[in-house]
């Protein structure tokens, strides 16, 4: 079973999420937080597998709470937002979130998303990644390229850079394999090596790294 901490400033939503999560035999709720500061405190105490994190909360917002949690523990964060392509989403991904969902996501999809993130996968589908990239192109201030340039990619091979560039563009492993004339298993191996070399948790963080390293930019070409 995967343990879940719910962080939302609306009591009704917290209660609804708790009932839904506890109805799933593979999930159980370990606590509820009404603001970001309380979410960090409870995460330290409970060490949940996943925090279901509202992105906009009082005292401490979901982005900063995500940053503190991901910096201190292995807990995964799944961000909730009212608005598709909320400009805070990229900040949350940069802070370490493994993905995001809209608050009006159907219950079955929400439960599936929690299980996916708890299993260590990123909830950032190629289609979602592409929409985010389009938004970054319209609002480049969301990006904060690393300085100096691509120094964060030290140790990454040329082929791994090729794979990372396409991950950052939102391509799936199968699409990357076709583009680079590789086997899907080989692409998975390259992605695994990138996670280890770059010290990031999942595919969502690889997308962030592709931009922040300066390897690619939102308008540097189509996928």
């Amino acid at each position: 079973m995967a343990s879940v901490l719910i962080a939302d400033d609306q009591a009704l939503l917290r209660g609804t999420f708790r009932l839904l999560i506890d109805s799933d035999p593979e999930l159980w709720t370990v606590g509820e937080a009404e603001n970001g500061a309380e979410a960090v405190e409870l995460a330290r105490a409970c060490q949940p597998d996943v925090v279901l994190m509202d992105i906009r909360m009082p005292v401490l917002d979901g982005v900063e709470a995500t940053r503190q949690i991901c910096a201190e523990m292995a807990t995964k964060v799944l961000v909730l937002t009212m608005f598709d392509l909320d400009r805070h989403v990229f900040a949350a991904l940069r802070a370490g979130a493994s993905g995001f969902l809209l608050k009006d996501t159907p219950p079955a999809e929400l439960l599936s998303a929690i299980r996916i993130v708890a299993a260590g996968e990123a909830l950032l589908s190629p289609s979602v990644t592409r929409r985010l990239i389009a938004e970054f192109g319209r609002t480049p201030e969301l990006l904060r390229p690393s300085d100096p340039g691509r120094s964060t990619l030290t140790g990454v091979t040329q082929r791994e850079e090729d794979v990372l560039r396409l991950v950052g563009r939102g391509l799936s492993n199968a699409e990357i394999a076709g583009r680079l004339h590789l086997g899907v298993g080989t692409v998975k191996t390259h992605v695994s090596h990138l996670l280890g070399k770059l010290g990031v948790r999942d595919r969502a963080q690889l997308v962030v790294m592709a931009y922040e390293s300066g390897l690619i930019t939102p308008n540097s070409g189509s996928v």
Side-chain angles (χ1 to χ4, degrees), residues 26-93:
E26 297 180 17
L27 305 172
W28 63 294
T29 305
V30 294
E32 299 177 23
E34 64 181 21
N35 59 62
E38 189 173 328
V40 173
E41 181 179 348
L42 285 175
R44 288 171 178 154
C46 301
Q47 298 287 310
D49 294 306
V50 178
V51 176
L52 195 59
M53 181 80 75
D54 185 10
I55 206 166
R56 302 182 185 222
M57 290 185 292
V59 184
L60 190 71
D61 66 26
V63 173
E64 182 56 32
T66 295
R67 181 176 293 108
Q68 292 186 27
I69 289 170
C70 292
E72 294 182 24
M73 59 199 84
T75 295
K76 305 291 186 180
V77 175
L78 180 57
V79 168
L80 288 171
T81 177
M82 288 291 294
F83 309 104
D84 196 5
L85 298 179
D86 186 320
R87 66 173 45 239
H88 296 287
V89 166
F90 187 76
L93 293 174

